Amino acid sequence: YLEVNGISAFWHTTKGYAAAILLALPIIRGKTRIGHQCPYYIVMIFEAGSANQTILIQMIDSTDERAMQLYYIEPVSTLIISRFVLDEHIVRRNYLLMAVAMAGALLMLWDPELKNPWPNSTADWLALTSGMAFALSNVMIRKIQDQPVLLKTASTWLGVGLIGLGAILVRGEPIPDATAQTFGLVVLLGVAGFMVATLALQYGVTHMPAQKSAVLLLFELIAGGVSAWLLAGEELGMTEYVGGAMIIVSGYLVATRGHKQNEPIPEGHA
């Protein structure tokens, strides 16, 4: 709808996140003392912006299913990065649950016409890069768990906005010629959509071990499948049902067993 009415995806995300930042500014004023954690903020800002814009470019310029499979390798990247950056001990059962959840994700995304799952195009590498950037961003969020959630969230909005603006300049995107009503919808989506979704993500990633959030974030696939069924009338096959069930069961078990809520990261790595 927005594309048809003169606002490209890049302008949509840039303006939407800018609206969210402006709304949050009065609240985060006076809470911006980040001190020695500045390097973590810089990494988080850059990686969050990179993850958002690279997957956006991939989705616009390609319909390659393999690329989306590569993006959803992100949970594995999260486990590896968290082990070294957070020194997070990975529970054995979570290795198994991660494997089951990943198998479910691949089952939902798998296209039998693909010859192999390995990256062999620009779109593939963009998706893989986006997933790894998203993983590193989430680990940084966990790393600075003592910082205000809203401040960290606004920082990621800033990253998306700045890199989105860079993408607009590099791609030569024209200034939108749209009605005030369309611009109003962009602002509404930024506040009611982007703002709420990223705040929820930040809160969850801040207060639970990375190995938990990595599995739970695969629920995005289920939400996407249900949305496509309800809004676009797409049919769901047996592979989608089985794959979705595998993700749901794994997510439930990893969320209800093992680590306690608000468990701090190991001492010396905070």
Side-chain angles (χ1 to χ4, degrees):
Y1 175 83
L2 293 174
E3 191 85 30
V4 172
N5 284 276
I7 298 183
S8 70
F10 295 98
W11 278 108
H12 170 209
T13 54
T14 302
K15 287 179 175 290
Y17 281 105
I21 291 173
L22 290 175
L23 186 63
L25 275 178
I27 305 174
I28 63 175
R29 285 185 63 185
K31 298 181 180 180
T32 55
R33 297 178 182 177
I34 58 179
H36 67 283
Q37 295 178 329
C38 183
Y40 302 131
Y41 269 94
I42 292 173
V43 173
M44 182 179 66
I45 289 170
F46 178 77
E47 296 300 334
S50 299
N52 184 283
Q53 296 302 322
T54 50
I55 197 63
L56 194 60
I57 294 171
Q58 185 275 319
M59 292 174 67
I60 291 172
D61 294 346
S62 172
T63 56
D64 190 354
E65 289 293 332
R66 182 193 292 106
M68 292 311 297
Q69 294 171 15
L70 292 168
Y71 173 78
Y72 283 104
I73 292 176
E74 177 271 325
V76 177
S77 302
T78 300
L79 285 185
I80 296 172
I81 295 170
S82 66
R83 183 68 185 89
F84 290 99
V85 176
L86 304 178
D87 196 27
E88 187 174 288
H89 174 67
I90 303 174
V91 182
R92 281 186 180 180
R93 64 190 305 279
N94 283 352
Y95 276 118
L96 176 60
L97 293 174
M98 172 62 77
V100 173
M102 288 297 298
L106 290 175
L107 193 59
M108 292 184 71
L109 291 168
W110 182 252
D111 183 349
E113 295 182 2
L114 296 179
K115 294 181 180 180
N116 64 71
W118 313 118
N120 59 13
S121 68
T122 301
D124 291 352
W125 286 109
L126 281 173
L128 185 61
T129 301
S130 178
M132 295 179 69
F134 185 61
L136 183 53
S137 173
N138 286 344
V139 171
M140 288 300 104
I141 293 169
R142 174 73 173 162
K143 180 81 172 177
I144 52 176
Q145 64 179 163
D146 60 324
Q147 291 287 295
V149 170
L150 183 57
L151 178 59
K152 292 190 292 184
T153 308
S155 299
T156 60
W157 296 338
L158 178 63
V160 175
L162 290 176
I163 294 184
L165 186 59
I168 287 171
L169 295 175
V170 170
R171 292 172 65 92
E173 295 274 337
I175 296 175
D177 180 17
T179 64
Q181 180 180 357
T182 305
F183 278 115
L185 180 58
V186 170
V187 172
L188 179 62
L189 287 172
V191 173
F194 299 157
M195 191 173 189
V196 173
T198 49
L199 273 171
L201 169 67
Q202 289 263 355
Y203 183 86
V205 171
T206 295
H207 292 93
M208 71 174 71
Q211 59 190 286
K212 274 192 174 185
S213 61
V215 175
L216 294 174
L217 285 172
L218 285 174
F219 272 76
E220 178 185 358
L221 272 176
I222 299 174
V226 173
S227 297
W229 173 58
L230 291 174
L231 301 177
E234 294 186 12
E235 293 293 330
L236 299 179
M238 183 56 65
T239 55
E240 284 82 4
Y241 285 117
V242 174
M246 292 168 70
I247 294 173
I248 290 172
V249 171
S250 299
Y252 174 78
L253 291 175
V254 80
T256 56
R257 307 286 177 83
H259 295 275
K260 297 178 180 179
Q261 188 180 13
N262 295 324
E263 178 183 335
I265 60 178
E267 188 177 350
H269 291 264

